[in-house]
Amino acid sequence: PDEHYRVTAKWIPYNPPKTIKLATMIGTAYDAPVPGAAEFQLNGKTYRLEPVTEDKPPVKLFFILKDTTSVTATYGACRFLYTPLPPNGLDKPGEIVLDFNHLENPPCAYTTFATCPLPPRGNRLAIALPVGELRYH
């Protein structure tokens, strides 16, 4: 683990939450709720990620993202990051911790029988996150 890649992000709620269409590895798509955005700084630059929620009511945030390491060191399609909900709730501004050391490969990195969502355009970061699970060989 590298503490540099554990950041406190500003939680920006969407009131009302929005819905996006997530594409999958097999060419399908589905609607997913986006309750807000997490804005953070890393290496002097500001980035923004939008999580989706999977449960009703939501019990965690699910970030689907891609960074520049996916070309060489990590799984090419994406990686997942799960975080607790913001302490103030999804509908109020606050902070959340994004610990990129906990980035994990999706199930489709290990089997062709899994269907995984692809990261939304805004969650494709132009920065390297060289922590978390690496490419499966």
Side-chain angles (χ1 to χ4, degrees), residues 64-66 70 75-80 104-106 108 116-119:
I64 307 159
L65 63 103
K66 186 173 184 172
S70 67
Y75 182 62
C78 63
R79 288 190 289 170
F80 295 169
E104 58 188 67
N105 290 327
C108 52
C116 295
L118 296 170

Side-chain angles (χ1 to χ4, degrees), residues 67-80:
D67 66 286
T68 61
T69 66
S70 67
V71 175
T72 56
T74 62
Y75 182 62
C78 63
R79 288 190 289 170
F80 295 169

Side-chain angles (χ1 to χ4, degrees), residues 21-39:
K21 193 157 291 285
L22 281 177
T24 69
M25 299 276 302
I26 61 168
T28 60
Y30 64 95
D31 290 335
V34 178
E39 190 173 273

Side-chain angles (χ1 to χ4, degrees), residues 28-89:
T28 60
Y30 64 95
D31 290 335
V34 178
E39 190 173 273
F40 64 97
Q41 290 198 343
L42 196 57
N43 299 338
K45 290 190 176 182
T46 301
Y47 299 93
R48 187 180 182 117
L49 291 171
E50 289 184 328
V52 297
T53 55
E54 299 177 296
D55 305 306
K56 288 186 181 185
V59 295
K60 61 188 168 195
L61 295 175
F62 176 33
F63 292 88
I64 307 159
L65 63 103
K66 186 173 184 172
D67 66 286
T68 61
T69 66
S70 67
V71 175
T72 56
T74 62
Y75 182 62
C78 63
R79 288 190 289 170
F80 295 169
L81 179 67
Y82 293 94
T83 68
L85 298 175
N88 293 342

